[in-house]
Amino acid sequence: MSDTQRRRGRRSRLAEPVIVEENPPVWPGVEAGRFKPLSEPEVALIEESALSLLETLGLSQATQSMIDKVTAAGGSLDTEGRLLFPRDLVHWAIEGASRGFTLCGQDPANDLKIDKARVHMSSGGAAPGVFDLETHAYRDSTVQDLYDAARIVDRMENIHHFSRSVVARDIEDPAVMDLNTAYACLAGTSKHVSISITEPENVAAVAELCYRIAGGEAAFRARPFLTVMVCHVVPPMRFATEALDVLEAAILAGFPVQLISAGQAGATSPATIAGSLVQAVAETLAGLVFARLVDADVKAIFAPKPLVADLRTGAMCGGGGEQAILMAGAAQMGRHWDLPTSSIAGITDAKRLDAQYGAEKTLAVAMAAHAGSNIVTQAAGMMSSLLAVSHAAYVSDNDLLGNILRTIRGVEATPETIAAEVIAGVCRGEGHYLGEEHTLGRMKSDYFYPDLGDRRTPREWEEDGGKRVGDLARDKAREILGEHHPGHVPDGLDKALRAEFDIRLTRTQMGRG
């Protein structure tokens, strides 16, 4: 089902058989971009400042491959070993960048059209821990936790993309961990998946795994269902050499790539919001230049993801207004160049599904989404300043994201929706709209109804047990994990892959006995 088809039909009810609703209130790819925190002069100043930094300061620690490609294209290496990017080269990278492409799911029903200001919600985080679904205690995350997160997201209609959310800390070898990260994600959901790869030598095995699942290398290259996320810089204005090798290998293997700069304001980027944004934009554009010099047609996602520190302690904090406006500004810069763009939003500092959690996550996600970010990562499940994931939170966040998507859809003022004739008819007739055909016709198409959000009276809620939303979310998460065992990777293929690759997620853990 394409985004257009999804516009006409919504998957209904969590953990139940898929039922398509006609004319849903929200859908993947709702178009945003009307929120612009930066004025036009500010956008121009940020652009000029980023281009000037690339042209006069450049970045250090470039790989030889990058130096060769950039200098052959008009760049230069200064006496300090910094690679300089002339603005004409940066403009070439921006103007020729791939746009309007599809991030494919293993199931075409989950394809995402990355175009203009179409917004999609995503998990993410690579957290080292989880809040245990049964004990609520914080513990190290495992490959089982990653697979379970993917399974839950697979059932959440308002989480459109699965970005690796936790680290499989029960697997020590980096190569084995990268391979199992890919398989746990791909076996857990048929939605598009994004992961990172720790070392360039590990790209080939992950690529071969994807080729086998797709039915061949050509099939995967035609419909790549996994993106490789690369933090290609170590801010400020330095390349991560090993990550550049990962980036190059991933592009050559046929993966879409996400180009990430994640400096921390006040620590590895300027303390000011504007300064942090400029540095992140410059670093990300440098990655785009290299990516296009490796393959001019690469599907590359512009992902400046600067973070914020609490300057009282130096610790990262993702829940404040500073992080929210910073991500909205980064998304606006992506829209300025009409680049496929991803933002990090929703990394609340809260440790429970409480008021802090809801307030911080809603603020950040809504601002990045309204500014037109195509993929809003960390929008679901993530908490504790990127240190932990809650499986239950995916379920409650599905409601939160549905409401945010409804605000992005907007008012939609037309003669039909203004309904002047209906107003006149009601005022001359029954005096209310409850039984009107116009009301019934708009009941499902215009209104988002939460799955967990409680709208009953206090007495009704108390008589039904008075459960908090966190308790309901945990119950639903348990139900999904007990019942939903995705079969899009056929049993025979799973067995064949196990004979070929060192897959640590057991068939019992996958519900296949």
Side-chain angles (χ1 to χ4, degrees):
M1 189 186 301
S2 67
D3 276 0
T4 301
Q5 290 171 314
R6 285 234 184 183
R7 167 66 182 87
R8 298 194 297 265
R10 173 179 177 263
R11 294 188 175 195
S12 174
R13 308 307 304 172
L14 306 181
E16 295 178 3
V18 172
I19 301 171
V20 175
E21 293 180 4
E22 294 299 321
N23 298 316
V26 297
W27 56 89
V30 176
E31 190 154 352
R34 284 176 280 187
F35 174 49
K36 297 180 179 180
L38 298 167
S39 67
E40 290 186 11
E42 287 174 320
V43 168
L45 180 58
I46 288 170
E47 177 175 13
E48 174 57 32
S49 300
L51 293 174
S52 179
L53 282 173
L54 289 169
E55 194 168 43
T56 62
L57 176 65
L59 282 82
S60 63
Q61 300 182 186
T63 59
Q64 191 59 51
S65 176
M66 185 180 218
I67 293 169
D68 292 343
K69 288 178 172 60
V70 172
T71 55
S76 61
L77 196 66
D78 71 9
T79 57
E80 296 178 321
R82 303 187 71 87
L83 189 59
L84 307 181
F85 297 78
R87 63 184 58 211
D88 286 348
L89 180 57
V90 180
H91 285 145
W92 166 83
I94 294 171
E95 291 165 6
S98 295
R99 294 170 171 85
F101 55 76
T102 298
L103 291 182
C104 301
Q106 292 177 75
D107 180 349
N110 292 320
D111 285 0
L112 305 177
K113 184 71 169 179
I114 308 302
D115 188 36
K116 301 189 185 303
R118 295 163 67 101
V119 175
H120 305 88
M121 300 298 184
S122 174
S123 63
V130 297
F131 285 103
D132 191 276
L133 192 59
E134 301 303 328
T135 68
H136 314 307
Y138 178 75
R139 60 171 175 77
D140 288 351
S141 51
T142 67
V143 69
Q144 174 81 65
D145 293 319
L146 180 59
Y147 176 65
D148 288 348
R151 285 199 289 152
I152 293 173
V153 168
D154 197 53
R155 296 302 303 179
M156 301 294 107
E157 69 269 26
N158 299 318
I159 308 174
H160 311 127
H161 169 273
F162 185 71
S163 180
R164 184 270 295 267
S165 53
V166 297
V167 177
R169 298 186 68 186
D170 52 337
I171 302 175
E172 293 184 0
D173 183 271
V176 179
M177 184 183 70
D178 286 345
L179 179 75
N180 279 272
T181 294
Y183 191 63
C185 296
L186 293 171
T189 181
S190 63
K191 297 179 180 182
H192 191 86
V193 163
S194 293
I195 68 167
S196 59
I197 297 176
T198 55
E199 299 171 354
E201 296 79 12
N202 302 346
V203 173
V206 174
E208 187 58 37
L209 176 72
C210 291
Y211 300 160
R212 294 280 283 109
I213 292 172
E217 181 175 348
F220 178 78
R221 287 180 179 271
R223 286 186 51 82
F225 44 71
L226 184 143
T227 290
V228 175
M229 302 179 293
V230 184
C231 292
H232 61 280
V233 288
V234 181
M237 301 296 282
R238 289 177 296 176
F239 287 115
T241 54
E242 197 166 53
L244 287 181
D245 291 337
V246 170
L247 176 60
E248 185 168 5
I251 293 170
L252 294 175
F255 290 105
V257 293
Q258 195 173 130
L259 307 166
I260 300 172
S261 164
Q264 197 166 334
T268 56
S269 69
T272 57
I273 303 299
S276 184
L277 178 56
V278 165
Q279 181 182 301
V281 166
E283 291 168 341
T284 309
L285 288 175
L288 179 61
V289 171
F290 180 54
R292 290 210 61 224
L293 289 173
V294 174
D295 180 355
D297 297 321
V298 62
K299 294 178 179 178
I301 297 170
F302 176 75
K305 298 182 177 181
L307 302 170
V308 171
D310 186 322
L311 297 180
R312 298 170 300 180
T313 63
M316 195 196 78
C317 60
E322 299 84 8
Q323 183 69 52
I325 197 65
L326 186 52
M327 279 297 95
Q332 186 180 348
M333 292 308 297
R335 296 280 55 80
H336 169 64
W337 290 306
D338 189 27
L339 289 171
T341 300
S342 179
S343 302
I344 185 171
I347 47 174
T348 171
D349 304 313
K351 285 70 177 179
R352 286 289 185 266
L353 299 182
D354 55 16
Q356 179 186 357
Y357 181 96
E360 293 179 349
K361 188 170 288 281
T362 300
L363 175 66
V365 174
M367 293 189 76
H370 274 277
S373 179
N374 298 119
I375 304 172
V376 184
T377 63
Q378 277 77 9
M382 182 52 58
M383 58 201 312
S384 302
S385 309
L386 293 180
L387 292 177
V389 156
S390 163
H391 289 87
Y394 290 120
V395 182
S396 59
D397 286 343
N398 190 62
D399 275 0
L400 181 151
L401 297 177
N403 279 311
I404 292 174
L405 289 167
R406 182 61 187 88
T407 68
I408 295 169
R409 180 179 164 186
V411 175
E412 298 176 327
T414 67
E416 180 185 0
T417 59
I418 288 172
E421 292 183 0
V422 177
I423 295 171
V426 166
C427 291
R428 294 189 176 105
E430 294 291 331
H432 63 79
Y433 298 88
L434 293 176
E436 287 291 317
E437 182 178 344
H438 182 269
T439 302
L440 297 175
R442 291 284 174 171
M443 180 178 173
K444 291 186 177 181
S445 65
D446 286 28
Y447 290 81
F448 175 79
Y449 301 102
D451 285 297
L452 296 186
D454 198 297
R455 295 178 173 178
R456 296 172 295 177
T457 67
R459 192 173 300 280
E460 290 172 327
W461 174 72
E462 287 178 343
E463 290 174 351
D464 194 32
K467 283 191 173 184
R468 297 173 296 179
V469 68
D471 297 326
L472 295 172
R474 278 185 284 275
D475 289 346
K476 187 59 70 173
R478 293 187 190 102
E479 179 184 337
I480 293 170
L481 294 178
E483 298 177 356
H484 183 49
H485 303 287
H488 55 272
V489 176
D491 201 56
L493 177 58
D494 175 73
K495 291 178 180 178
L497 292 173
R498 292 175 186 278
E500 185 174 349
F501 300 98
D502 184 5
I503 293 175
R504 302 290 177 87
L505 183 72
T506 68
R507 287 175 56 79
T508 299
Q509 288 174 314
M510 292 178 65
R512 300 192 181 194

